[in-house]
Amino acid sequence: MTLVFAGACSHAPGITGRADRGDPQQRKNLLENYNKMRLAIKSSGAEALIVIAAEHFANFFMNNMPAYCIGMAEYYEGPIEDEEWLGIKRVKVPGNSKLSEEIIQIVMNDTDVSYAQEWKFDHGISVPLNFLTPDYDIDVIPVNINCQGPPLTPLNRAYEFGKSIRKACDSTTTKIAIVGTGGISHWPCTPDSGKINEDFDKTFLKSFISNDKKALLSYSDKETYEKAGQGGFEIRTWIAVAGACEGSTGELWCYEPIPNYAVGCTLASMEIS
Amino acid sequence: MSLYYVQKLIYELNRNPDTTKRFEKDREALLADYDLTDEELTAIRKPDIGLLYVLGVNGQILMHYAALWKIPWDDYLKSMENGIKEHGPVRNGLYAQTEGK
């Protein structure tokens, strides 16, 4: 068993790009919890970090949109966004193509995942890495679930995808950490940017930390879009982490709704059993 | 309506420095490579962020186009609101599902 850490966090570009526009107290709590996760990953002894993300048309487009993709490159670049706009310097991030291939081969038993030997990270991965691995000294394996628009992979498939990733992690000798990143409710880059549905978020988070599979998979895309906006589709990344940790429960570390960051800024972990 | 190609153009501009260079130096030739209507071309050239939003460009793509033109975040959000006032509800794409907003 080599999964050594599992968690989830927010990745909104405002967290770094509009840093000074968040409430200072809320920001302080948010940064403390990113730091807590950084230390938790470090002390877990993780040799590689799988980031289950929901990218935003930086690499994948509607000409050939994979429902699931795993990176298989020696290195990645990011962020793709303007460095000043996002507040993060563009860097090369180390990958591990051999480990990726091992993982992809096992995941393929359950999921027709695509793979990519070229991948430019957008804020969806660059924001979490900025806080969790600021020295870019750990191999990263990016994973993408298309959460941007329909047709979208069903939630139960995202859960099963997480289970497959867990199977793959546990079959290697490398110590691996998993971090999912997305949502929860938000209306990014639209006139409703800044709206946050705290009730939706809290209900979802309750289901996540109790790893209540039935509740997590009960959302229809129509309901999610109406109550949690386009950004709500990204609950798939959290659900994949829940799948990877089936049978375990989690802990909510931080929930700070910050309208200027356009999301309820959240960090949570999941027990490994 | 060729929303797909409007979004494809912005996607390419965001990830391909050569496309961005062509956009700066040889814009019309670049635009001719995409199947765009006159209304879409007008919105891209101006740029009319509000109209692009109303035409249905996904915000996750559109924000990059606004950033390319160095449009500040608050102005970007405002231009979409103004776009709806001026051009009516969102006509196509994801946002057309919920009251065109």
Side-chain angles (χ1 to χ4, degrees):
Chain A
M1 189 177 291
T2 55
L3 183 65
V4 292
F5 177 82
C9 69
S10 302
H11 65 234
I15 295 171
T16 51
R18 299 187 296 280
D20 59 351
R21 292 174 65 170
D23 174 85
Q25 206 51 45
Q26 287 185 300
R27 178 168 182 81
K28 186 170 173 279
N29 188 32
L30 175 62
L31 295 192
E32 280 173 4
N33 279 285
Y34 271 126
N35 196 45
K36 181 179 165 184
M37 192 169 281
R38 177 182 72 79
L39 294 171
I41 292 168
K42 202 166 192 179
S43 66
S44 74
E47 299 161 284
L49 171 64
I50 293 178
V51 184
I52 303 178
E55 74 128 42
H56 317 80
F57 305 110
N59 299 274
F60 310 115
F61 192 67
M62 283 81 84
N63 57 345
N64 190 5
M65 178 65 79
Y68 300 97
C69 185
I70 298 179
M72 199 173 72
E74 279 300 315
Y75 66 88
Y76 305 92
E77 288 176 354
I80 195 172
E81 289 94 343
D82 183 80
E83 293 170 299
E84 205 182 318
W85 183 86
L86 189 60
I88 298 177
K89 281 231 164 300
R90 192 162 297 144
V91 290
K92 251 188 189 183
V93 179
N96 183 334
S97 57
K98 194 173 165 289
L99 180 61
S100 283
E101 187 172 346
E102 275 180 54
I103 288 169
I104 292 162
Q105 190 64 61
I106 292 168
V107 171
M108 274 181 168
N109 287 312
D110 306 310
T111 305
D112 294 322
V113 65
S114 69
Y115 61 86
Q117 290 191 285
E118 187 184 342
W119 193 317
K120 293 179 180 179
F121 294 165
D122 70 10
H123 65 270
I125 290 181
S126 290
V127 170
L129 292 187
N130 174 67
F131 295 111
L132 302 179
T133 64
D135 297 326
Y136 304 102
D137 52 359
I138 184 169
D139 292 342
V140 170
I141 298 179
V143 173
N144 193 66
I145 303 176
N146 173 34
C147 297
Q148 293 312 320
L152 293 160
T153 189
L155 300 186
N156 66 308
R157 299 286 298 149
Y159 190 91
E160 293 300 319
F161 180 59
K163 278 175 72 174
S164 303
I165 290 176
R166 172 62 181 272
K167 235 186 271 178
C169 290
D170 288 347
S171 71
T172 73
T173 53
T174 309
K175 290 180 179 171
I176 298 174
I178 292 181
V179 172
T181 175
I184 309 164
S185 71
H186 60 307
W187 286 255
C189 329
T190 71
D192 286 329
S193 177
K195 186 170 144 185
I196 296 165
N197 184 341
E198 289 188 39
D199 288 343
F200 182 94
D201 290 356
K202 285 174 181 165
T203 303
F204 178 81
L205 284 169
K206 200 173 158 209
S207 304
F208 176 77
I209 59 172
S210 58
N211 209 338
D212 182 342
K213 181 177 177 182
K214 196 175 164 204
L216 286 171
L217 304 188
S218 68
Y219 296 88
S220 71
D221 285 338
K222 189 171 179 291
E223 179 194 5
T224 300
Y225 185 68
E226 282 169 7
K227 293 183 181 168
Q230 177 188 4
F233 293 149
E234 294 177 354
I235 57 173
R236 285 164 173 77
T237 61
W238 290 70
I239 287 171
V241 172
C245 300
E246 187 172 48
S248 300
T249 55
E251 188 188 352
L252 179 61
W253 293 7
C254 168
Y255 178 74
E256 295 286 1
I258 305 178
N260 269 325
Y261 296 168
V263 77
C265 298
T266 315
L267 285 101
S269 65
M270 199 59 103
E271 287 291 320
I272 312 287
S273 59
Chain B
M1 184 78 68
S2 46
L3 176 60
Y4 173 82
Y5 286 106
V6 179
Q7 298 193 115
K8 180 95 188 269
L9 168 68
I10 301 175
Y11 161 77
E12 299 273 5
L13 284 171
N14 186 39
R15 63 173 278 108
N16 189 344
D18 289 339
T19 309
T20 314
K21 212 174 280 172
R22 282 186 72 202
F23 186 75
E24 283 159 10
K25 296 195 167 151
D26 198 8
R27 185 166 307 165
E28 290 309 309
L30 173 70
L31 296 180
D33 288 347
Y34 296 82
D35 184 8
L36 302 166
T37 66
D38 287 344
E39 189 180 35
E40 288 160 350
L41 283 166
T42 304
I44 290 163
R45 285 187 190 116
K46 203 172 172 184
D48 188 337
I49 298 295
L51 179 53
L52 289 168
Y53 182 70
V54 166
L55 291 173
V57 176
N58 193 297
Q60 298 283 10
I61 293 176
L62 187 56
M63 75 166 172
H64 297 304
Y65 195 60
L68 181 72
W69 285 88
K70 306 280 181 206
I71 295 171
W73 181 250
D74 293 331
D75 294 347
Y76 164 68
L77 296 179
K78 191 155 264 173
S79 62
M80 288 184 288
E81 279 173 25
N82 291 340
I84 292 168
K85 277 182 206 151
E86 194 179 334
H87 304 287
V90 176
R91 300 176 204 166
N92 202 352
L94 187 61
Y95 314 128
Q97 290 177 25
T98 43
E99 301 161 5
K101 210 185 141 196

